Amino acid sequence: MDDYIAQRSLTRLDESLLTHIPPFSLLSHEQIREILDQATVRRYGEGITVFNEGDPADRFFMVLDGYIRVVRVTPAGEQIISLHIPSGQLFGIARAIGRETYPATAITASEAIILSWPTTVWDHFVVSYPGFSSETYKILGLRMGELNMRVVEMATQQVEQRVANTLLRLVNQTGRKVADGIEVDFSITRQDLSEMTATTLHTISRLLSAWEKHGLVKSRRKHIVVSNPQGLVALARDHG
Amino acid sequence: MDDYIAQRSLTRLDESLLTHIPPFSLLSHEQIREILDQATVRRYGEGITVFNEGDPADRFFMVLDGYIRVVRVTPAGEQIISLHIPSGQLFGIARAIGRETYPATAITASEAIILSWPTTVWDHFVVSYPGFSSETYKILGLRMGELNMRVVEMATQQVEQRVANTLLRLVNQTGRKVADGIEVDFSITRQDLSEMTATTLHTISRLLSAWEKHGLVKSRRKHIVVSNPQGLVALARDHG
DNA sequence: TATAAACTTTGCGCTAGCACAACCTTTGTT
DNA sequence: AACAAAGGTTGTGCTAGCGCAAAGTTTATA
């Protein structure tokens, strides 16, 4: 975050940006005004690191537009993708779980607009804004649920089922309707998918080719469209 | 929890039970008194289900003595062990993450003494007892860290390394010093270990046999003693 | 418009570790 | 003391999916 550049908009941020986002939805216009006035906005290109695992957690963030990819790197240098965060969600909330440093690295998965606040205002937010803390912890709960599901899947399912499930989750959570199905809403490579499912890009490539042959998906470079979700669900269920 | 039997002790619970346990350590004697007076105590035998995944989360719990094993069961009936909770920790705190039901099943891994409170007092605890909420979320953060570590391990390590790491973590967190090393402090079968590491009891048996031959561990039925932690650490590091 | 860089496909051989199977040992029960 | 039940060991064959390799395609850069 050495190159962090605060870029408050020349025009003030519009309050309607936050009014429908859960952690803020119970608040008055005045409160949202306060919150926005303390925020820093920044636009990021794709593939930019927002913060690194282990950095002191001196800010917390919210995705206004775009997607964040949360990754961890092993001592051996292997990367694994932990999570994708869609717009409207907070991230980098190490403070909420009593951490002084970020537990993982956050990278933009697409162009993105990110709000951030200094961690020092966290406690103020928690006590002053009703619903902020409970909504935040709900999100934390959802992420724990995802992690748990991931562990169970990796422990019990074959590669093909894991990849099918991951892809389905991806289009459910971040899918965009297109002519011939639902498309993952950000650039995604074979390598990325392999880092989400604990396999190799080669295996992913083979799977996608096979699925395409059976009319389940359509993929081009960095794009994946699920054209037959039903079929994928069947694959994910029926043992192989 | 059909067979749940409230058993408040005849003599009141001693305040010193809680004074040194983090979520309560900042509180006055009066406050701890209040908390204990609202608690229900129960002694469980080994292998007893405290609550099931999906049950309405109408109570939250604390391990006073013994260990809790948190498990999840797949639709196909395979069981995987998510976590072990040692004495002094809260569990079943679905409420903290905005859930109405328990996300996993809790079973005693040893004889255990468990305190519990109705979920309805949760909010009262959070607002009335300083440090309660932050300490609780710290624990949540630690558990998330464990889950993450688990995902990374399963994604990147060989079975032997995973099992070595898991065993090391087990003796670090719940180890008891014995004559010839450090022993896992509760009954643990090959099957259990396999459900923690996503492998089979057969593979675990072979690994333990091999390790015993090399003087790293000593195991009898339901007992595992790590006699050479250094050696295990080396195994866990050096790729195989 | 050539060249490089990033991403993808496909083939082939190998092996970690699983499935299956049989048997052994310890502990609990009648 | 006999039997059952739970837990543990060990052998054998098989295969999912990885490692390695080579080549194709698309996009970015000079």
Side-chain angles (χ1 to χ4, degrees), chain A residues 143-175:
Chain A
R143 294 200 187 145
M144 266 190 112
E146 290 258 327
L147 272 178
N148 258 309
M149 166 172 298
R150 190 98 177 269
V151 169
V152 171
E153 275 186 14
M154 286 180 49
T156 61
Q157 302 186 336
Q158 304 280 95
V159 165
E160 183 168 37
Q161 298 169 73
R162 290 206 305 269
V163 177
N165 276 127
T166 301
L167 193 51
L168 283 168
R169 225 170 297 133
L170 228 35
V171 295
N172 274 335
Q173 292 172 0
T174 76

Side-chain angles (χ1 to χ4, degrees), chain A residues 73-86:
Chain A
V73 179
T74 66
E78 291 143 306
Q79 195 174 83
I80 81 142
I81 296 178
S82 206
L83 203 56
H84 283 96
I85 297 176

Side-chain angles (χ1 to χ4, degrees), chain A residues 20-208:
Chain A
H20 299 300
I21 294 178
F24 306 112
S25 55
L26 296 176
L27 306 183
S28 68
H29 282 278
E30 292 71 33
Q31 290 176 311
I32 291 189
R33 190 68 264 156
E34 283 169 29
I35 289 174
L36 282 174
D37 284 346
Q38 296 175 77
T40 300
V41 210
R42 184 179 167 195
R43 160 166 240 119
Y44 290 77
E46 185 179 322
I48 306 297
T49 299
V50 180
F51 54 76
N52 275 296
E53 181 171 349
D55 284 352
D58 41 41
R59 300 189 77 81
F60 63 97
F61 303 80
M62 200 193 83
V63 187
L64 248 196
D65 189 54
Y67 295 92
I68 287 289
R69 177 173 293 155
V70 179
V71 308
R72 310 192 126 229
V73 179
T74 66
E78 291 143 306
Q79 195 174 83
I80 81 142
I81 296 178
S82 206
L83 203 56
H84 283 96
I85 297 176
S87 61
Q89 285 197 12
L90 294 172
F91 69 103
I93 50 179
R95 185 55 210 271
I97 50 174
R99 293 194 46 127
E100 301 288 313
T101 60
Y102 299 115
T105 297
I107 301 178
T108 53
S110 63
E111 289 204 350
I113 303 174
I114 310 283
L115 293 186
S116 73
W117 296 266
T119 301
T120 47
V121 305
W122 178 267
D123 290 330
H124 173 62
F125 276 32
V126 165
V127 300
S128 308
Y129 303 130
F132 176 79
S133 124
S134 69
E135 285 300 326
T136 300
Y137 286 118
K138 238 179 234 176
I139 286 190
L140 221 65
L142 291 179
R143 294 200 187 145
M144 266 190 112
E146 290 258 327
L147 272 178
N148 258 309
M149 166 172 298
R150 190 98 177 269
V151 169
V152 171
E153 275 186 14
M154 286 180 49
T156 61
Q157 302 186 336
Q158 304 280 95
V159 165
E160 183 168 37
Q161 298 169 73
R162 290 206 305 269
V163 177
N165 276 127
T166 301
L167 193 51
L168 283 168
R169 225 170 297 133
L170 228 35
V171 295
N172 274 335
Q173 292 172 0
T174 76
R176 174 169 33 88
K177 192 107 196 64
V178 291
D180 42 2
I182 312 166
E183 179 166 6
V184 177
D185 198 24
F186 47 81
S187 296
I188 183 164
T189 66
R190 311 292 186 257
Q191 175 78 36
D192 291 334
L193 255 185
S194 75
E195 287 174 4
M196 302 177 68
T197 51
T199 177
T200 62
L201 76 157
H202 309 273
T203 298
I204 297 285
S205 178
R206 286 182 241 270
L207 282 175
L208 287 181

Side-chain angles (χ1 to χ4, degrees), chain B residues 188-191 202 205-206 209 220-222:
Chain B
I188 183 162
T189 66
R190 310 293 187 254
Q191 174 79 36
H202 308 273
S205 177
R206 286 182 238 270
S209 296
R220 358 188 285 277
R221 188 181 230 243
K222 288 194 180 197

Side-chain angles (χ1 to χ4, degrees), chain B residues 104-115:
Chain B
T105 297
I107 301 177
T108 53
S110 62
E111 290 205 349
I113 302 173
I114 311 282
L115 292 187

